[in-house]
Amino acid sequence: MTRGQGGAHGAWFLVLPALIPILLLSVGPLLYGIALAFTDSQAGRTDPTQWIGLLNFQDLLRDTLFWESFRIGLVWAVAVSVPQFLLALGLALLLHQDLRFRWLSRALAIVPWAMPEVVVGIMWRLVYHPDAGVLNETLGTHRDWLGSLSTALPAVVVVGIWARLPQVTVTLLAGLSNVPRELHEAAAMDGAGAWRRFRAVTWPAIRPIALAISALSFIWNVNSFALVYVLTGGGPGGRTRLPMLFAYEEAFRYGQFGYAAAMGCVLVAVVSILLAVHLVARLKGDDEA
């Protein structure tokens, strides 16, 4: 065995401890879910599971409820991701300044990130409570924010923005910490204002990180489940039924495992296409730059 081959085998030996959990907990379930989508698997069925080809996907194309949930999911993902990124960028720029008690401000900014989504959902249910909620007590109203057809989705969007804001903020703050301070000082000496320094110095430096975290944030929001499930359970009237909630109900409430797996395959395909478009646009932008 040559030295190069021995080094390659040694590298694989070092990678295996991290690779095995990924294969077992991510790749394996994904492949099993894809295979399940082509079967008629159901809960409580005594007959053997049959291979039915594309029948689940054909039924899915005619399922208006699923495509309505898909539309709601896209609205949710955009409505959460865009304000979330803008607020996180502003907060990161603020926390990057030489403020008094900056360490305390940074610690408080990541508090929502340290809380499980179930706890966040329960806490915000109390905030939105129609009788004794903090929001209604402040506004002097008795509105059922999570139970109204007109306010349920906007109320859940607010919680989604708040819950994942620290994640995006910390990532952007890490990018800002790598921007050389000398560049800002040179631009200021040349007479550049704050906005011009941001466009010419800050944004080009953090642009790769910003594009990456915005794409990841969109994917996370498309796949949201726990937060919305605790807040509304998909109601009222399906106004907050995201695609993952719809698939969950089909699998664990109605026992249609094969049909739910087909929904998961469609979601994986759509997210993969969106991610590919994002990467192509990013690479094209980097080439032009």
Side-chain angles (χ1 to χ4, degrees), residues 26-218:
S26 296
V27 178
L30 177 62
L31 295 178
Y32 177 74
I34 293 174
L36 198 66
F38 296 92
T39 68
D40 60 353
S41 177
Q42 298 178 7
R45 182 174 177 174
T46 58
D47 298 334
T49 299
Q50 301 293 326
W51 183 270
I52 59 174
L54 298 175
L55 186 59
N56 284 327
F57 294 94
Q58 293 174 3
D59 293 339
L60 198 59
L61 289 176
R62 297 188 293 267
D63 193 339
T64 57
L65 292 177
F66 172 74
W67 294 111
E68 175 63 16
S69 73
F70 195 82
R71 183 192 66 82
I72 294 173
L74 290 179
V75 171
W76 151 270
V78 174
V80 172
S81 301
V82 175
Q84 193 176 72
F85 176 80
L86 296 177
L87 290 173
L89 181 59
L91 186 58
L93 290 171
L94 179 63
L95 295 177
H96 187 61
Q97 304 299 317
D98 292 327
L99 301 175
R100 192 177 183 183
F101 299 114
R102 183 173 64 173
W103 63 271
L104 180 61
S105 301
R106 290 185 174 184
L108 293 175
I110 64 173
V111 167
W113 195 4
M115 301 172 63
E117 287 191 339
V118 174
V119 176
V120 172
I122 294 173
M123 182 185 72
W124 277 91
R125 279 182 66 90
L126 296 176
V127 171
Y128 285 133
H129 195 278
D131 297 323
V134 175
L135 182 59
N136 279 328
E137 289 289 336
T138 303
L139 299 177
T141 61
H142 295 280
R143 188 162 193 172
D144 189 359
W145 297 93
L146 296 175
S148 172
L149 294 176
S150 60
T151 61
L153 185 58
V156 173
V157 166
V158 171
V159 182
I161 294 173
W162 183 86
R164 290 200 176 95
L165 183 63
Q167 222 165 354
V168 185
T169 302
V170 170
T171 304
L172 294 175
L173 190 59
L176 289 172
S177 64
N178 292 324
V179 180
R181 196 173 291 270
E182 294 80 8
L183 296 178
H184 284 281
E185 294 174 353
M189 292 179 62
D190 290 338
W195 173 245
R196 188 175 177 184
R197 291 200 303 272
F198 173 79
R199 289 183 56 190
V201 178
T202 305
W203 178 250
I206 68 171
R207 183 175 177 270
I209 296 177
L211 293 175
I213 192 59
S214 61
L216 289 174
S217 177
F218 183 79

Side-chain angles (χ1 to χ4, degrees), residues 3 8 20 126 134 152 161-163 191-192 211 225 237 240 250 252 262 283 285:
R3 180 178 300 179
I20 291 176
L126 296 176
V134 175
I161 294 173
W162 183 86
L211 293 175
F225 172 78
T240 60
E250 288 293 325
F252 298 104
L283 293 174

